[in-house]
Amino acid sequence: MAVEQNKRQELTNLILECIKEVFPVVINKIEEKKYISSHSSFPKLSFRENGFPNINNSWTNNGPKNYASLFHKYGREAPDIDWNNFITLENLYKYIGNDHELLNYFGFGLRVSVPEIDLNRKSVELLVENILDYYIHVYGYDFNENNLLKVIELRTNFAFLEKLKITIYVPILFLNFEVDRYDLGEGISIQKLSDLLHLSRVEAKSNNVLVHDCILEGATHALVIENYYIDNKDKDSFGCLYRKDAYPNFLIINFFSALRLTTDYKTGYAQIFSNPENWTTNFKEKLLNIRGCSIREFPNEFELDRYWLNKSFTSLNQGDLEKIKKLYEKLSNNNHKSIPIALKRLNSCMLRHDEEDTVLDATIALEVLLSDDGKTEMTHKLALRIAALSKLDDACKETPKEIFNKVKKIYSYRSGIVHGTKDLTKSRIIRIPNSVELKTVDVAIDILKMVLRVLLCNEQYFDAKKIDEELLLGVGG
């Protein structure tokens, strides 16, 4: 559980007194032009010609000065500033060390021992050093107690807040947007990522999910989900933020599904990360204390032929965003049991690189949405129902008869796949007189998207029998 509030003031006072004592010594060392090492592995941001970010995160000491290094010894050399000379550090350590709750949050945390080193004391030293380094980077060399108290509060909040507030970001890959912000609903929006967010998110990735850095970086905007909280049970409560299942994946799926139902643009996501609101567990210069994970939810072609170096990418305008918002709202308010399954299959269609698997995904989704308890003539009934629904989709320019014939050809291809037909060359293409040849897999995806759009806007037809009665037979309604 979070630390009792009645301990906050004393902890703050002891940190403040410690920094008051050591601050002038630190500034004196800086002004003496003592060598101060830099933050290692510090990211640098630039932008490619196509407008997408390029984040370099090398392991060289190329970052801003790390003022905490004044307290550390290198090799056999003694540190420039020795904590043993400061009684206020000893007072702070005694207060934390004698309190189980405080030690749980500000101590070392692991049950290991190192000869001649008190790891809990070392953790307290690092806490003060961390606050000092951040203060100097933000406020400079002049001491201001009010500013310092703000920094102390920010750095210690994670121990005292019962709920840790976060904002969630899902960078949207390889799409441009004509606006910096677009609200989709309460607490959920599309926002342009700031330079600071780009720099801070570079390490928010998983060791067990391989994603090329140039793909992970390939976003200017993100889906932003606000007002989420973590229950503060102990020092490691935020560890869940490194896992995909900690995040509201249903909201993320609904958004990308709405985007895909509305446009044919290729996109996806390779990262989910969270930014703590008014709390942190560590400062690194001015970077945000971000946590997250990498994810493979993007088309296979993003990894081919340096896709991220394409000269230009599609841009979404206000009209596109309004259509996405409309369908997002429909998805958010729809509780029909078939929708999650159909969306899972739709998104698989957009991400797979195997054509036959994609066709199977599309047809499974169509059957989930439009089948009934009947076992006979299922393909014929589905084709009729899809043809009938096509009359309700403004984006569909084909006649119901043409849609019917296309569905029949899709299912002919599907039959060949599931029965192991060796030569499926003819089934892969749909030939329409006086028109271009179409890939069956593309037609299957387009028809699935059309069916989902119509059903979301006409929810009564989730009952497939009403399609038969009202659209095919003209009865009722």
Side-chain angles (χ1 to χ4, degrees):
M1 300 294 292
V3 177
E4 294 178 9
Q5 291 295 322
N6 58 12
K7 300 174 184 178
R8 180 192 276 269
Q9 189 60 54
E10 181 66 14
L11 177 68
T12 299
N13 290 340
L14 289 169
I15 295 174
L16 178 62
E17 290 305 310
C18 183
I19 292 178
K20 279 183 176 180
E21 183 181 19
V22 77
F23 188 85
V25 180
V26 172
I27 300 306
N28 183 56
K29 294 295 183 183
I30 295 171
E31 292 175 346
E32 287 178 3
K33 297 184 179 180
K34 287 282 186 180
Y35 172 75
I36 301 171
S37 66
S38 300
H39 283 283
S40 61
S41 187
F42 199 90
K44 288 188 176 181
L45 175 66
S46 60
F47 288 87
R48 304 184 193 278
E49 291 183 6
N50 58 23
F52 282 81
N54 178 35
I55 309 170
N56 181 22
N57 192 31
S58 66
W59 284 94
T60 57
N61 291 329
N62 61 349
K65 295 295 183 182
N66 180 5
Y67 297 104
S69 66
L70 289 169
F71 297 87
H72 302 164
K73 64 180 181 179
Y74 299 92
R76 296 183 178 180
E77 293 185 10
D80 289 296
I81 304 174
D82 189 344
W83 276 120
N84 292 317
N85 298 326
F86 298 88
I87 189 63
T88 52
L89 189 282
E90 186 64 28
N91 295 336
L92 173 62
Y93 172 55
K94 285 181 179 178
Y95 182 67
I96 292 175
N98 290 329
D99 187 290
H100 177 73
E101 284 187 324
L102 290 172
L103 195 62
N104 176 46
Y105 280 90
F106 298 108
F108 184 68
L110 298 178
R111 294 182 178 180
V112 296
S113 61
V114 178
E116 299 181 3
I117 297 178
D118 183 340
L119 293 176
N120 285 323
R121 179 190 171 93
K122 181 60 66 176
S123 294
V124 174
E125 293 173 1
L126 290 173
L127 168 68
V128 179
E129 294 165 15
N130 197 220
I131 293 171
L132 272 166
D133 181 67
Y134 180 77
Y135 178 92
I136 294 171
H137 280 296
V138 174
Y139 297 108
Y141 300 160
D142 294 328
F143 182 86
N144 181 289
E145 185 169 317
N146 288 331
N147 289 336
L148 180 56
L149 286 170
K150 292 177 186 177
V151 177
I152 294 172
E153 180 182 25
L154 178 61
R155 182 61 177 81
T156 58
N157 266 345
F158 88 105
F160 293 96
L161 298 175
E162 292 189 3
K163 290 187 177 293
L164 302 174
K165 187 178 181 181
I166 59 171
T167 298
I168 298 166
Y169 293 81
V170 187
I172 304 166
L173 293 177
F174 301 118
L175 281 181
N176 287 303
F177 295 81
E178 294 183 1
V179 297
D180 288 347
R181 178 182 177 123
Y182 185 85
D183 291 320
L184 294 166
E186 185 176 355
I188 186 162
S189 59
I190 298 168
Q191 295 182 28
K192 186 175 181 180
L193 291 166
S194 67
D195 288 358
L196 182 58
L197 277 169
H198 279 306
L199 289 169
S200 303
R201 74 185 179 97
V202 68
E203 293 184 2
K205 50 190 175 183
S206 309
N207 293 328
N208 61 342
V209 180
L210 182 61
V211 177
H212 196 294
D213 285 345
C214 292
I215 295 175
L216 190 138
E217 298 162 5
T220 60
H221 289 63
L223 176 69
V224 181
I225 306 170
E226 299 175 271
N227 301 321
Y228 267 73
Y229 297 84
I230 307 164
D231 288 331
N232 191 4
K233 297 178 181 179
D234 55 41
K235 181 178 182 178
D236 299 319
S237 295
F238 52 80
C240 64
L241 298 174
Y242 296 106
R243 305 194 310 270
K244 177 184 176 182
D245 60 7
Y247 296 94
N249 286 286
F250 66 98
L251 293 179
I252 299 168
I253 290 170
N254 282 350
F255 167 73
F256 280 94
S257 298
L259 195 160
R260 287 165 177 149
L261 289 172
T262 306
T263 74
D264 293 322
Y265 307 147
K266 296 184 186 302
T267 188
Y269 56 106
Q271 183 185 50
I272 305 175
F273 67 85
S274 61
N275 182 33
E277 298 292 339
N278 197 34
W279 63 276
T280 184
T281 61
N282 186 54
F283 294 124
K284 185 173 182 178
E285 199 248 2
K286 299 176 185 178
L287 296 183
L288 303 171
N289 190 208
I290 277 173
R291 293 171 178 83
C293 56
S294 45
I295 299 166
R296 297 186 59 84
E297 293 289 343
F298 52 86
N300 178 66
E301 66 187 85
F302 285 6
E303 297 181 301
L304 305 177
D305 301 322
R306 296 186 178 184
Y307 184 89
W308 51 87
L309 294 180
N310 284 358
K311 291 184 178 180
S312 63
F313 292 94
T314 304
S315 182
L316 291 177
N317 57 36
Q318 187 78 15
D320 294 324
L321 294 173
E322 288 172 2
K323 292 176 182 177
I324 291 169
K325 180 178 180 179
K326 179 182 177 182
L327 278 178
Y328 175 79
E329 290 173 344
K330 295 286 185 183
L331 286 168
S332 298
N333 296 323
N334 191 290
N335 295 316
H336 196 275
K337 62 182 180 181
S338 64
I339 286 294
I341 303 171
L343 294 183
K344 179 180 179 181
R345 295 293 177 173
L346 168 67
N347 289 312
S348 291
C349 286
M350 308 306 294
L351 305 182
R352 288 191 186 275
H353 64 277
D354 186 282
E355 180 179 300
E356 294 179 6
D357 287 341
T358 301
V359 169
L360 292 177
D361 275 327
T363 52
I364 289 171
L366 290 171
E367 290 159 18
V368 167
L369 292 168
L370 297 174
S371 62
D372 53 35
D373 295 333
K375 302 297 182 182
T376 59
E377 294 293 330
M378 180 54 66
T379 300
H380 188 73
K381 284 196 289 186
L382 281 175
L384 285 171
R385 289 169 180 166
I386 293 169
L389 290 175
S390 70
K391 295 183 290 185
L392 303 178
D393 185 43
D394 294 337
C396 183
K397 305 304 180 184
E398 296 147 298
T399 66
K401 182 179 179 181
E402 290 171 332
I403 295 294
F404 177 88
N405 289 333
K406 284 183 176 180
V407 176
K408 284 287 193 175
K409 291 181 182 295
I410 291 168
Y411 269 84
S412 175
Y413 187 18
R414 176 190 182 280
S415 179
I417 294 169
V418 299
H419 290 100
T421 302
K422 291 184 178 180
D423 188 1
L424 293 170
T425 305
K426 292 183 179 179
S427 298
R428 296 181 191 276
I429 299 295
I430 295 178
R431 293 178 174 84
I432 301 173
N434 302 318
S435 182
V436 296
E437 292 183 351
L438 302 173
K439 294 181 67 174
T440 307
V441 64
D442 294 337
V443 175
I445 294 172
D446 288 342
I447 285 178
L448 172 57
K449 291 165 68 172
M450 180 269 291
V451 168
L452 275 165
R453 287 195 301 267
V454 173
L455 291 179
L456 288 169
C457 294
N458 303 271
E459 293 187 15
Q460 68 271 28
Y461 296 130
F462 278 107
D463 182 351
K465 291 181 179 179
K466 287 192 175 182
I467 302 174
D468 301 341
E469 294 170 357
E470 298 181 13
L471 299 182
L472 290 174
L473 299 177
V475 178

